[in-house]
Structures are given as C-alpha cells and as structure tokens.
Amino acid sequence: MIVSPPSTPRSRQRVITVLGLTQIMAWGSSYYLPAVIAPAVAADTGWPLTWVVGGLSLGLLVAGLISPHVGSSIERHGGRNVLAFSAACIGLGQIGLAAAPNLAVYIAAWLVIGLGMGAGLYDAAFATLGRLYGHSARSAITTLSLFGGFASTVCWPLSAFLMGETGWRGTCLVYAAVQLLIALPLYIFMVPRVAPQQSDRGLSGTTGEIAPMRIRSMPIMLVLAATLTLAAVISSTLSVHLLTILQASGLTLAAAVGLGAMVGPSQVSARAVEMMIARFHHPIWTKLASVTFVAVGVAALWVGMPVVAVALAFYGGGIGLETIARGTLPLALFGPSGYAKLMGRLAMPSLIAQAAAPSVGALLLEHVGAHGTLAALVGLALLNVGLACCLGWLVFRRRTLQAELP
C-alpha cells in the first residue's frame, strides 16, 4: 500500500513544475553538455575527442548500474533525498570537470555525474511521481515529459553562450552552481516527504481490485524491457550521429543543423497532443504510436525521402511519445505498488544500452557508411514495432483473463 501526503491541485502542480524545471537543468548539465563543449575540451587540452565524449558513455554506464538501487530507495523512502543526491553529484561532478588537470580526473568527474544521472533523470523523476500520486500519476508524468522536451532547446544555446563568455571550464562551473544553488534547494524544500513504504502483502488496494503486482507476468516484463531498451538504442544512436548522417546525404552542416533542430519541437508537439488525449486510451497505444512513428521516420531517411523535414518530424514525434510510454505504461500495467522499484530495474538495460549505442553507431558509420547505418536502424525500428505489437497482444490477453476472474 502506498502512503502519500495529502495533495491539493495547487501543491501537485507546484511539484510537477519544480521537477520539470529541474529536469531541464539536469539534462542540460549532463547528457546534453558534451555535444557543445567536447570539441573545445579536446582542442584546449589535447585529450582524444573519443575519450572526451566517452566520459558521457561511462557516466551512463554508472547510471544504469545504480538504477535498481535508486528505484528501491525511492520505493522505500520517496524521491526527495534521491533527487537531492542527484543534484549534489551532478554539481560536484561539474566542479571536477572544470578543475580537471588531466584526462583521468575528467573521466572520474563523469563517473560522479553518472551517479547523478542515474538518480535524477526521467526514470527517477517518474518513480518519484508514481510514489507520490499512485494511479493518478499518469497525467503528472505526461506533463513532466513536456517540460523535459525543452531541455536541448534551452540548454544547447545556453551552453554555447556560456562557452563564448566563460570557456568550457567556466560553463561547467555555471552548471555546478545551477545544480548546487538552485536544483538542490528546490528538491529539498519543494518535493514532499512521503511515509516509508508499507508492506502490501495480502492487500489489493483501496478499491478492492486484484493487486496489479500479483498478476504480473514474466513475458510482459521481458518484452516491455526489450522494447524500452531497443527504443533507447535507436534514439541514443541518432542523437549523437544524426548530423553526420544528414551531411552524408548531401546536406551542408548548416542545413543539417537546421533540420536536426526540428526533432525537439516535434517531441514537444507529440507530447502536447498526448497530454490532451491521454485520458481516452490505454498507454499501450502511446507505445504503439511511438514505435510506428520512429520506424516511419527512420525508414524515410533511409530511402532518401526528398522532404527530410517530414521524416524528422515523424522520428521526433515518436521519441517524444516514447518518453511518455516509458513512464506511464509500467504504471498502467503493474500499478503504483512497487512502481519505483520497477522503474529502476527497467532503466538499467536502457541506460547501459545508451552508453554503448553511440560507439557502436560510430563503428557502423566507419564500416558501412551512413546508408548502411540507417539500414541497421530501420531493422531495429521494425523489430521494435514487432515487439510493441507482441506486448500489446500480451496486455490485452491479460486484461481478458482478468475480466474472466470471479
């Protein structure tokens, strides 16, 4: 049984707004940072660019390894302390980056940031909302993802501006101050404290229905984890290599950047539509729409569709919906009891895959070129459509069996 503090519409909206703003800060201070500062770091220090960028991959690996523990902690005690720990780690890691005298210290700083990413990005924030609001967290998760969709739109230009004003080390110090002086106090003072998790043994919830966790099926768990991980592989690969792929098709860098910038607004637009219609459908349909849009977008890029903007709009809309499905589908399938722990376990393979995907993508680009890389991604996207359809069949089959129970 989940015991949460009383919630008013105003306090709920305040919590969602705080988490939304801190998500933008967290993504901008970690995941999206190397895309802007990495060339300057390599040029200033002489460190290999592969290792400079690889710091993020190692950080994501750490995030994946700790994610089950993060989920368990949120399940037991709520998300406030975990999120505060995240801000502290990202802030201290940024100080480490700024002060790094050599590559070893730079990599160590990314490992600390990895702890912060594992404890503070989407999965931890979704788990916190699930712990606070139970079944009604779906709308909160959707709204939070809408905030997060602005992270790259806000932070890439901000990072570029800071680079011009203070250099890459100064940029890291500014982000450290954002985490330690803004995000950390917001988590501590604005995220509600919740009562420790009580045992739900023998309980079926407040409405007398069969507890969702008691009818969890292993096939659904495995297929869900597989499709979430595969989606993470595709999005992580393209987030790093999209501009290279577009330039290989004959576009100039300026044109590639301009078209690539469409992905962010497409994500936000898809999430806004989902927020308006979410109450009318099960989240499995969000997942099916997500994988379909991604497959259409990547396939259109592969066949050389003349209107690249349309392909990228489909792709952006698909990964935008994927973020929502990642948070809402496990909640709908298994209920709020144990949701935070489940999110931590599901995050582990996805984050580890995200850590490896850019490097694998680079190898593909080197050996088979941009067209061959897109062909591989099309294959993965079609496989994910199949996995999502299989998941949908399992979900509706389980619902039918539930309806037949006395």
Side-chain angles (χ1 to χ4, degrees):
M1 181 174 67
I2 289 182
V3 180
S4 301
S7 175
T8 65
R10 180 173 295 181
S11 67
R12 178 185 170 104
Q13 188 57 50
R14 183 174 65 244
V15 169
I16 295 170
T17 301
V18 166
L19 290 181
L21 293 175
T22 51
Q23 280 296 293
I24 293 174
M25 298 177 202
W27 284 94
S29 301
S30 58
Y31 189 86
Y32 289 122
L33 186 63
V36 179
I37 72 166
V41 174
D44 180 50
T45 62
W47 303 333
L49 181 61
T50 303
W51 278 102
V52 171
V53 177
L56 173 61
S57 293
L58 293 173
L60 287 170
L61 178 61
V62 170
L65 293 175
I66 70 164
S67 59
H69 304 287
V70 168
S72 296
S73 180
I74 294 174
E75 186 68 33
R76 290 194 303 269
H77 307 294
R80 184 170 72 168
N81 291 339
V82 171
L83 295 172
F85 172 79
S86 165
C89 286
I90 295 176
L92 293 174
Q94 288 293 341
I95 293 174
L97 293 182
N102 53 54
L103 183 59
V105 175
Y106 176 87
I107 294 297
W110 269 110
L111 298 181
V112 176
I113 293 174
L115 293 173
M117 290 192 290
L121 296 185
Y122 273 138
D123 295 297
F126 292 160
T128 298
L129 291 174
R131 183 71 170 83
L132 285 171
Y133 304 122
H135 282 291
S136 66
R138 179 179 177 181
S139 62
I141 290 170
T142 302
T143 305
L144 179 63
S145 70
L146 193 61
F147 275 93
F150 290 101
S152 61
T153 305
V154 171
C155 294
W156 275 342
L158 176 60
S159 297
F161 170 77
L162 292 172
M163 279 277 295
E165 296 295 319
T166 66
W168 71 270
R169 293 184 188 271
T171 300
C172 292
L173 287 176
V174 171
Y175 279 126
V178 167
Q179 289 298 315
L180 297 175
L181 302 180
I182 300 177
L184 180 58
L186 283 175
Y187 287 138
I188 292 174
F189 295 110
M190 302 300 288
V191 177
R193 183 190 299 273
V194 298
Q197 179 69 56
Q198 297 181 3
S199 172
D200 61 351
R201 183 172 300 178
L203 298 177
S204 59
T206 59
T207 60
E209 77 275 13
I210 296 172
M213 297 294 284
R214 296 293 175 261
I215 52 176
R216 175 180 296 177
S217 89
M218 187 56 66
I220 289 179
M221 284 290 298
L222 292 176
V223 176
L224 176 62
T227 185
L228 293 178
T229 300
L230 204 52
V233 168
I234 296 169
S235 64
S236 182
T237 301
L238 280 178
S239 69
V240 174
H241 299 297
L242 179 60
L243 297 184
T244 301
I245 290 172
L246 291 177
Q247 289 178 83
S249 68
L251 296 174
T252 65
L253 176 60
V257 170
L259 288 168
M262 292 188 59
V263 174
S266 298
Q267 291 184 59
V268 174
S269 298
R271 291 170 184 173
V273 172
E274 167 68 12
M275 186 168 62
M276 291 186 290
I277 66 174
R279 65 182 183 275
F280 300 114
H281 63 270
H282 191 282
I284 188 63
W285 294 108
T286 306
K287 177 64 180 177
L288 290 168
S290 165
V291 296
T292 301
F293 285 5
V294 168
V296 169
V298 177
L301 288 175
W302 175 57
V303 301
M305 181 178 178
V307 187
V308 176
V310 175
L312 292 177
F314 269 100
Y315 167 72
I319 60 175
L321 293 176
E322 173 63 29
T323 301
I324 295 176
R326 182 185 187 89
T328 60
L329 187 52
L331 181 65
L333 292 179
F334 305 121
S337 180
Y339 171 75
K341 182 182 292 187
L342 175 61
M343 288 300 294
R345 291 176 176 175
L346 289 173
M348 184 177 184
S350 294
L351 288 168
I352 292 175
Q354 282 182 305
S359 297
V360 175
L363 289 174
L364 285 172
L365 284 169
E366 181 180 349
H367 289 93
V368 301
H371 191 70
T373 301
L374 280 175
L377 291 174
V378 169
L380 293 178
L382 292 176
L383 174 59
N384 212 19
V385 171
L387 285 172
C389 290
C390 178
L391 179 62
W393 178 80
L394 290 171
V395 169
F396 290 115
R397 178 173 176 270
R398 192 183 74 166
R399 294 180 73 182
T400 300
L401 293 175
Q402 284 180 281
E404 294 174 353
L405 290 173

